[in-house]
């Protein structure tokens, strides 16, 4: 049974959201950590792209710089989230401080970025998790059927769709079951995945290059390689890779910052939990959640990178991630978990390490689907969308119509991502959708004290440093971080646009987000005005809890 919407005459759809504050600080911290940079999954695919795209990249330095860049953004977001802890996050802040049309732009930017992320993690499950584990098990147990299945999950469009769609269906069912159930699944899967990742770290810590090299050569020999396959992989592309990191070479380390930030710039994502987070108005609680997640990501990405370099070597990791490399003949891709397991080459450890990576996709999808669902809900609650999308199930406290709409869109995006050849570009451009959000929020944060003194004075955001409002310092710094990320996509085309002549894609993409947000707001306002409802009045006050 759903919580019914109110009459057309009242300001909001109804007098309360129907959502319940069920999320704990631990739920929110894990929510941020797995949304921003699920350590195992990020290592499995994300960071090593930089080694081939920008030879000599120093991933450790790039990660540490990324940590510093995140600080002003998180502080700004934490102050705003504790001041207006409502479902919708930036949509509520921007609409109440600046203007409703800017709020729909910023909120759509975040929601679109999240749905691109949800599509990626749905694809991740068959391509980077299920496929590799089947191949690995097939190799170890000499089962060619498992190898064929695993190869299909990594390369065949139909198999990829089936695997990705299975994850979408599971995620839909979990979201409908309610916030408490969602976080129970998130936390359980995160624990299992983290244990497997830490086991990989232990194996690498006690492993050696000689042992890894021998195991790699032996396995490669089963698939037609001869002699020192390890060195052959390096020699095959030695003219296009670096053999050691070059931290002083800004032309390769600076773009690596963007690669890290693709995954790690989202540790403020718990702002979209504010309407369902316990004690969400506590400033220290909001900040501890965000910085706890950021610290977790940074420490374990750095540890993971250093350990794989210790065992496999920088040159090998650069070479094996350079595609195509004909000297690499093993059916499974050179994913982090596969190479870590190969270091020990013990069947039970292989199953535990590689198998655990099956569990990263679901917790990563939680934040990527939870947020756009709350966007649809918040817009419907403020009457920008049909009221049915603000309906909440009385038993589970979940917005079922909004969930079904968002997950249907993610399914369509999954199909498109499989058929199109530009999904990698859109994944990178998805960062720019988040840039649009943070830029608009930065403007709202900067003018908050003057524009809405009635909300600011008694809020947790009313903090001064040397007599200056903290938001006056943090907002410009956050703005500059976003400007830097945008510049990187133009200065280093391989990050997103591939070729310099495609520079127009960056302003076109960001401009498209602006146009869509404006269309949504003004179209909704015109429709509601024809019904005798003035939606502008909604934004004069904070929405009810």
């Amino acid at each position: 049974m759903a919580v019914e919407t109110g009459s057309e005459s009242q300001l909001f759809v109804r007098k309360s959201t129907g959502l319940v504050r069920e999320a704990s600080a631990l739920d929110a911290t894990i929510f941020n950590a797995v949304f921003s940079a699920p350590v195992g999954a990020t290592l499995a695919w994300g960071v090593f792209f930089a080694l081939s795209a920008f030879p000599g990249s120093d991933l450790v330095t790039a990660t540490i710089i990324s940590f510093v860049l995140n600080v002003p953004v998180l502080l700004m977001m934490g102050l705003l989230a504790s001041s207006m802890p409502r479902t919708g996050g930036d949509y509520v802040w921007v609409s109440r401080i600046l203007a409703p049309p800017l709020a729909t732009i910023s909120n759509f930017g975040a929601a679109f970025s999240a749905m691109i992320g949800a599509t990626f993690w749905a694809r991740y499950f068959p391509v980077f998790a299920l496929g590799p584990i089947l191949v690995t098990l097939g190799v170890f147990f000499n089962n060619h059927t498992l190898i064929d299945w695993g190869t299909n999950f990594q390369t065949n469009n139909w198999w990829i769709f089936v695997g990705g769609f299975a994850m979408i269906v599971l995620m839909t069912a979990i979201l409908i079951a309610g916030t408490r159930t969602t976080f129970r699944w998130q936390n359980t899967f995160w624990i299992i995945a983290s244990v497997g990742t830490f086991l990989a770290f232990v194996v690498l810590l006690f492993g050696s290059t000689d042992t890894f090299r021998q195991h790699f050569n032996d396995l490669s020999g089963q698939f037609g390689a001869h002699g020192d396959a390890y060195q052959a992989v390096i020699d095959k592309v030695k003219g296009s890779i670096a053999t050691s990191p070059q931290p002083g070479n800004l032309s390769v380390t600076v773009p690596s910052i963007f690669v890290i930030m693709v995954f790690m710039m989202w540790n403020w994502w718990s702002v979209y939990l504010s309407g369902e987070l316990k004690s969400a108005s506590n400033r220290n609680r909001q900040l501890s959640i965000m910085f706890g997640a950021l610290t977790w990501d940074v420490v374990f990405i750095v540890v993971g990178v250093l350990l794989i370099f210790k065992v496999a070597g920088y040159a090998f990791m650069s070479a094996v991630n350079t595609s195509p490399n004909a000297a690499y003949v093993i059916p499974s891709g050179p994913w982090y978990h596969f190479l870590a397991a190969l270091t020990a080459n013990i069947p039970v450890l292989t199953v535990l390490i590689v198998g655990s990576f099956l569990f990263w996709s679901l917790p990563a999808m939680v934040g990527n689907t939870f947020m756009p669902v709350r966007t649809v809900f918040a817009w419907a609650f403020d009457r920008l969308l049909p009221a049915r999308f603000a309906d909440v199930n009385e038993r589970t406290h979940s917005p079922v119509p909004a969930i079904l709409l968002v997950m249907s869109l993610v399914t369509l995006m999954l199909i498109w991502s499989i058929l199109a050849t530009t999904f990698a570009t859109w994944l990178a451009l998805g960062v720019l959708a988040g840039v649009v959000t943070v830029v608009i929020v930065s403007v709202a944060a900067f003018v908050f004290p003057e524009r809405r003194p009635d909300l600011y004075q008694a809020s947790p955001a009313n903090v001064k440093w040397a007599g200056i409002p903290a938001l006056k310092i943090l907002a410009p710094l956050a703005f500059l971080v976003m400007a830097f990320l945008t510049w990187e996509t133009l200065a280093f085309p391989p990050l997103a646009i591939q070729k310099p002549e495609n520079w127009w894609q960056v302003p076109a993409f960001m401009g498209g987000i602006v146009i869509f947000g404006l269309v949504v707001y003004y179209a909704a306002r015109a429709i509601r005005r024809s019904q005798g409802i003035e939606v502008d009045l909604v934004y004069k006050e904070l929405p009810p809890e």
Side-chain angles (χ1 to χ4, degrees), residues 21-25 180 273-274 276-281 285:
R21 294 190 182 275
E22 298 179 302
S24 68
R180 184 175 300 173
L273 270 177
S274 291
E276 294 153 90
L277 176 66
K278 299 172 184 176
S279 303
S281 61
R285 189 181 185 87

Side-chain angles (χ1 to χ4, degrees), residues 128-360:
F128 300 114
L130 183 57
I133 190 174
L134 290 175
V135 169
T136 302
L137 293 175
V139 168
F140 275 98
F141 297 107
N142 195 29
N143 187 315
H144 290 282
T145 299
L146 291 179
I147 294 175
D148 290 342
W149 288 355
T151 302
N152 284 333
F153 274 121
Q154 296 178 76
T155 59
N156 184 284
N157 286 347
W158 277 108
W159 286 65
I160 293 172
F161 173 76
V162 169
F165 185 64
M167 184 55 61
I168 291 173
V169 171
L170 176 60
M171 191 70 252
T172 302
I174 292 171
L175 290 171
I176 290 175
T179 299
R180 184 175 300 173
T181 299
T182 297
F183 287 119
R184 189 178 297 121
W185 277 78
Q186 170 196 270
N187 298 350
T188 300
F189 273 52
W190 174 80
I191 290 171
I192 296 172
S194 296
V195 168
T197 301
F198 295 152
L199 183 58
F201 288 176
V202 171
V203 167
L204 290 169
L205 179 64
F206 292 100
S208 68
T209 302
D210 289 341
T211 302
F212 172 82
R213 186 171 188 160
Q214 183 61 52
H215 291 162
F216 181 83
N217 289 343
D218 291 343
L219 184 59
S220 297
Q222 296 180 31
F223 297 95
H226 301 284
D228 191 350
Y230 173 95
Q231 188 61 45
V233 168
I234 298 174
D235 292 342
K236 195 70 176 180
V237 292
K238 61 183 179 182
S240 60
I241 64 169
T243 57
S244 62
Q246 302 170 11
N249 187 347
L250 295 182
S251 66
V252 294
T253 296
V254 169
S256 300
I257 296 171
F258 184 93
V259 176
I260 300 296
M261 290 290 278
V262 165
F263 294 92
M264 213 176 75
M265 66 171 280
W266 313 98
N267 282 288
W268 48 271
W269 206 248
S270 55
V271 303
Y272 300 110
L273 270 177
S274 291
E276 294 153 90
L277 176 66
K278 299 172 184 176
S279 303
S281 61
N282 186 309
R283 178 178 62 223
N284 291 335
R285 189 181 185 87
Q286 291 276 7
L287 293 175
S288 65
I289 288 169
M290 296 178 186
F291 279 94
L294 176 63
T295 302
W296 173 277
D297 289 341
V298 171
V299 168
F300 288 105
I301 286 176
V302 168
V303 168
V305 167
L306 290 176
L307 286 174
I308 197 70
F309 286 165
K310 165 188 169 292
V311 172
Y314 186 94
F316 177 81
M317 291 305 297
S318 298
V320 82
N321 282 280
T322 298
S323 180
N325 188 323
Y328 183 84
V329 296
I330 300 172
S332 177
W335 316 128
Y336 187 97
H337 44 298
F338 173 75
L339 297 178
L342 191 59
T343 303
N345 205 31
I346 298 173
V348 64
L349 288 179
T350 298
V351 171
L352 292 174
I353 292 173
V354 179
S356 70
F357 278 73
L358 288 171
F359 293 86
W360 278 117

Side-chain angles (χ1 to χ4, degrees), residues 27 178 214 458 480 505:
D27 295 332
Q214 183 61 52
L480 289 175
Q505 293 178 356

